[in-house]
C-alpha cells in the first residue's frame, strides 16, 4: 500500500477527482464551522454539525454516482442524534426557568 515514493512522485500523485472533492468539502466545512463558532454559541454549532451529517447521508444515499442504499436503521440513528442535540438546545431555557422557580420556592420555604 505505502511504497515510500511520495517525494519522487509528489504528495498528491494518487489523488483522484473525488479525493479532491472530499478534501475541499472538509476545508470548506472547517472554515464554516470556525466562522459559526466565532459568531454563535457551541450548541448552535452542534445543531449545524448534525444537519451536515443528515445532508451528507442523503447525498451519499441518493446521489446517482454512489451505490449505497437507504437504510431505515441508519437514518433513524442519525435522526436520534440530531433530535437529541435540538432537544438539549431547546431545554436550556426551560432548565434555567426551573432553577429560578426552585430558588423562589426555597426562599418562600425559608420565610415560612
Amino acid at each position: 500500500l505505502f511504497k515510500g515514493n511520495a517525494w519522487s512522485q509528489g504528495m498528491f500523485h494518487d489523488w483522484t477527482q473525488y479525493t479532491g472533492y472530499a478534501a475541499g468539502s472538509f476545508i470548506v466545512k472547517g472554515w464554516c464551522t470556525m466562522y459559526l463558532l466565532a459568531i454563535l454559541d457551541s450548541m448552535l454549532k452542534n445543531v449545524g454539525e448534525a444537519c451536515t451529517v443528515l445532508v451528507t447521508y442523503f447525498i451519499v444515499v441518493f446521489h446517482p454516482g454512489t451505490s449505497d442504499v437507504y437504510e431505515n436503521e441508519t437514518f433513524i440513528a442519525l435522526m436520534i442524534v440530531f433530535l437529541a442535540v435540538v432537544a438539549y438546545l431547546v431545554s436550556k431555557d426551560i432548565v434555567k426557568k426551573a432553577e429560578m422557580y426552585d430558588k423562589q420556592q426555597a426562599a418562600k420555604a425559608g420565610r415560612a
Side-chain angles (χ1 to χ4, degrees):
L1 180 65
F2 295 108
K3 298 178 181 131
N5 53 4
W7 288 110
S8 62
Q9 292 183 345
M11 182 175 166
F12 306 108
H13 173 70
D14 292 328
W15 281 32
T16 64
Q17 176 183 8
Y18 298 110
T19 309
Y21 291 156
S25 71
F26 277 107
I27 290 170
V28 170
K29 177 188 166 291
W31 284 341
C32 291
T33 299
M34 292 303 133
Y35 176 73
L36 288 175
L37 188 57
I39 292 176
L40 304 173
D41 68 344
S42 62
M43 282 310 299
L44 287 176
K45 183 199 74 94
N46 287 334
V47 169
E49 291 277 342
C51 288
T52 59
V53 169
L54 287 173
V55 169
T56 303
Y57 173 74
F58 283 119
I59 288 172
V60 167
V61 170
F62 296 114
H63 190 272
T66 61
S67 61
D68 287 348
V69 295
Y70 174 80
E71 294 177 356
N72 228 8
E73 295 84 8
T74 306
F75 176 71
I76 290 171
L78 289 173
M79 285 302 296
I80 287 172
V81 171
F82 175 73
L83 293 174
V85 170
V86 171
Y88 181 76
L89 179 66
V90 171
S91 70
K92 285 172 66 173
D93 291 334
I94 296 170
V95 169
K96 286 181 185 177
K97 287 180 184 178
E99 287 175 356
M100 289 175 44
Y101 178 78
D102 288 343
K103 287 179 184 177
Q104 288 175 352
Q105 293 302 315
K108 285 181 185 178
R111 281 189 243 152

